[in-house]
Amino acid sequence: MTGPSDILRELIRDAVLELADERGIKIEESVEVEVERPKREEHGDWATNIALQYSKVFGEKPRDLAMGIVNKLGSNPYIEKAEVAGPGFINFTLSRKWISELLINVIKDGPDFGRVNVGKGRKVQVEFVSANPTGPLHVGHGRGAAVGDVCANILAFAGWDVQREYYINDAGLQIDLLGKSTQARYFEICGEPGKAPFPEDGYKGAYIYELAQQILDEEGNRFLEIPPEESLPYFKDYACRVILEGIKKDLADFGVNFDMWFSEKSLYEGDLLQRTLETLKSNGYAYEADGATWFKATAFSDDKDRVLIRSNGAPTYFMSDIMYHKNKFDRGFDMVIDVWGADHHGYIPRMKAAVQALGRSPEDLQVLLIQFVNLLRGGKQVSMSTRSGEFVTLREVMEEVGVDAARYFFVMRRSDSHLDFDLDLAKSSTNENPVFYVQYAHARIHSIFREAKSRGVSMPENLESVDFSLLSSQEEVSLIRKIGSFPEEMAKAAEELAPHRVTFYLYDISSAFHSFYNAHRVLGVEPELEKARLCLVEACRVVIANSLKLLGVSAPEKM
RNA sequence: GCGCUUGUAGCUCAGUUGGAUAGAGCAACGGACUUCUAAUCCGUAGGUCGCAGGUUCGAAUCCUGCCAAGCGCGCCA
């Protein structure tokens, strides 16, 4: 896309080259011009530090060089002025032409405003939540769900072809343990607890009793008649299926929908295991020793090699993961994103090594770490312990604070830093709650249009005829700049896989709107000014609505 | 022992491909509604960016060392 920053970059580059040529100074054709948005309002719309970087090459003081560059700048309809400031920055202020084009574009593009094609249609898979189907989702999974989902939204908005996937760990010991736990509770309810003892590390949550009771209701006590080993598969399948259904329901109600539910079991149905091992061996990263098959992790600066196939013939979890990732890449994804709990961070180098061993770049796998959530109620930490089965479920949080607040809170911090989730705050409808703050801004704009309608005023039909130069107050200029930065902010969020940027952006633009709203009236002012302001708040509404959409948070018209 | 992450205002956090006077919110204090929603706004106050060196025109940002917190290092999953 060609935005003002690209135009500026080119203009500045030409000026620098011309100046260098004139002075007989040799510099590279590919001058790297950096333009950035200044932190301070009075420094204009864009700034460059080019004169500071090149002052040595030119043998001139930065300020003098900056002056020279400014004098060489060709005129451009989008630039109102360029001035030298501070130690040698060049600050640019954009013209009215730019402002009116911006606002007209926002209004015309509506829900599509801000789409940038940095993904260029490449395929990316976001795999997230992927909780073992051994119990209901808890708050930690909720954060992973929100972060993964919003990331997927942002990537799609930035031009990637996105697929959402949930990896079901339906093989292995945990499912075994789940089956045994359910079975033991079943016998316990039947009054024969001796038939199968509750496993030492079994799942102790109350939901296991509920599962056992359901089985008893549906099947009666017929399992008392047969040996526990024979009925175990039934308990495993039943428990796993019902819990997974619950998880799917929770996620759907949370606004998270997956394109693919991928079963771990299915990895072993074909010859993937053999093919993966062959790939690794032919690339020189797998070998046999001590009766086991090893991964040559030391080739990737791990401190020792890792087992793939145990001497008893069973593949390790690491092997499963390698197979799974080979499968992902074989499905044609250009990039694969795994969303993991932060306690798995030590596993990243190994997984990246495996990706390289499969012949891919380590950059093709991105891992997003989700730090723990610290729930607060009444200013005190809500104690949680998975072991004892005492944890707060995602459903409880959703029901207590609502989906909007829950999603917003889960993504409002960098995902790799601890999150304090204040339940009371999320529920409150006061100025302390950021969710209400941003939703309120949206509702207020709708309220303006409702009032406008009752006065018989509506948006101007011919946007080109609106005089946007009337929007010249400090509040209006700030708001326009904020609206203009939406595409690049979203592009940044996509590039950094940083959903929290969206919440910060939303807060900023809402704040700019509220300031504007308190300082100026939209309706009842001069007709020309009223037209321009209606366009301004409509553009603002579009951008707020688009941001909320990315977060999966509703944009209420009335509050 | 090795490794990863974090350390910014009283609290919760942005900012980290080096840039101008380090920014928000909450809490504190003082103000603003006869008007399109006061669920809002405006102002005041609050900082040796963990500590110490280094690199340079310039460091919260890069390098080294140290301190503190959390986590990870299995032929477990």
Side-chain angles (χ1 to χ4, degrees), chain A residues 3 12 22 25 40 51 120 198 208 210 214 273 330 337 387 397 431 448 456 465 495 499 511 546:
Chain A
I12 297 165
E22 206 171 87
I25 294 164
R40 306 179 68 84
K120 303 187 180 89
F198 191 81
I208 299 292
E210 288 167 25
Q214 272 181 46
L273 178 63
D330 287 349
I337 298 170
R387 210 176 306 159
V397 172
N431 56 351
I448 294 172
S465 70
E495 195 183 345
S511 171
N546 291 2

Side-chain angles (χ1 to χ4, degrees), chain A residues 62-117:
Chain A
R63 276 195 75 102
D64 295 342
L65 178 58
M67 214 57 107
I69 294 170
V70 167
N71 288 334
K72 285 285 171 222
L73 281 174
S75 74
N76 185 288
Y78 291 114
I79 296 165
E80 180 161 306
K81 61 176 175 181
E83 48 193 9
V84 178
F89 290 95
I90 304 173
N91 294 333
F92 296 91
T93 303
L94 298 176
S95 68
R96 289 175 197 146
K97 181 174 164 61
W98 165 251
I99 291 169
S100 48
E101 279 184 21
L102 168 70
L103 294 179
I104 290 170
N105 279 341
V106 178
I107 293 165
K108 282 188 177 162
D109 291 351
D112 290 322
F113 176 74
R115 283 186 186 277
V116 283
N117 197 14

Side-chain angles (χ1 to χ4, degrees), chain A residues 349-471:
Chain A
R350 209 184 301 175
M351 204 60 236
K352 289 220 175 202
V355 167
Q356 285 181 81
L358 290 170
R360 301 284 301 217
S361 154
E363 298 300 306
D364 292 346
L365 169 68
Q366 293 291 326
V367 180
L368 218 52
L369 291 180
I370 308 294
Q371 261 297 359
F372 297 113
V373 177
N374 188 22
L375 273 186
L376 300 170
R377 180 180 278 123
K380 285 192 175 166
Q381 193 169 339
V382 180
S383 73
M384 276 185 286
S385 145
T386 318
R387 210 176 306 159
S388 61
E390 291 169 25
F391 47 79
V392 179
T393 63
L394 171 60
R395 177 149 302 274
E396 286 168 322
V397 172
M398 273 196 291
E399 283 171 0
E400 183 167 345
V401 309
V403 171
D404 282 350
R407 289 184 66 113
Y408 193 100
F409 270 65
F410 278 135
V411 301
M412 74 179 176
R413 300 279 177 253
R414 291 171 41 150
S415 62
D416 58 358
S417 74
H418 286 268
L419 170 69
D420 282 340
F421 191 133
D422 189 328
L423 289 164
D424 301 315
L425 178 59
K427 270 187 294 189
S428 76
S429 48
T430 69
N431 56 351
E432 299 162 40
N433 189 340
V435 188
F436 282 86
Y437 185 85
V438 301
Q439 288 183 322
Y440 184 49
H442 187 267
R444 260 184 159 176
I445 296 173
H446 268 274
S447 153
I448 294 172
F449 282 104
R450 272 194 300 275
E451 175 64 20
K453 199 175 175 188
S454 76
R455 296 184 186 195
V457 176
S458 57
M459 283 282 288
E461 284 179 18
N462 182 6
L463 294 174
E464 272 77 12
S465 70
V466 176
D467 183 3
F468 291 104
S469 69
L470 296 172
L471 304 173

Side-chain angles (χ1 to χ4, degrees), chain A residues 177-231:
Chain A
L177 204 55
L178 172 72
K180 283 180 178 158
S181 303
T182 312
Q183 189 183 45
R185 294 305 191 206
Y186 171 87
F187 290 132
E188 196 182 320
I189 298 172
C190 291
E192 294 201 31
K195 220 164 147 51
F198 191 81
E200 202 174 323
D201 298 320
Y203 292 96
K204 297 189 180 122
Y207 62 95
I208 299 292
Y209 277 108
E210 288 167 25
L211 280 171
Q213 185 63 51
Q214 272 181 46
I215 292 174
L216 188 60
D217 294 345
E218 288 173 25
E219 301 287 330
N221 59 5
R222 70 181 179 93
F223 294 115
L224 287 172
E225 314 299 323
I226 55 175
E229 312 85 69
E230 278 180 34
S231 64

Side-chain angles (χ1 to χ4, degrees), chain A residues 325 336-341 344-345 347-348 351-352 365-369 497:
Chain A
H325 283 80
V336 157
I337 298 170
D338 290 1
V339 180
W340 291 351
H344 291 83
H345 69 79
Y347 200 62
I348 297 175
M351 204 60 236
K352 289 220 175 202
L365 169 68
Q366 293 291 326
V367 180
L368 218 52
L369 291 180
L497 302 175

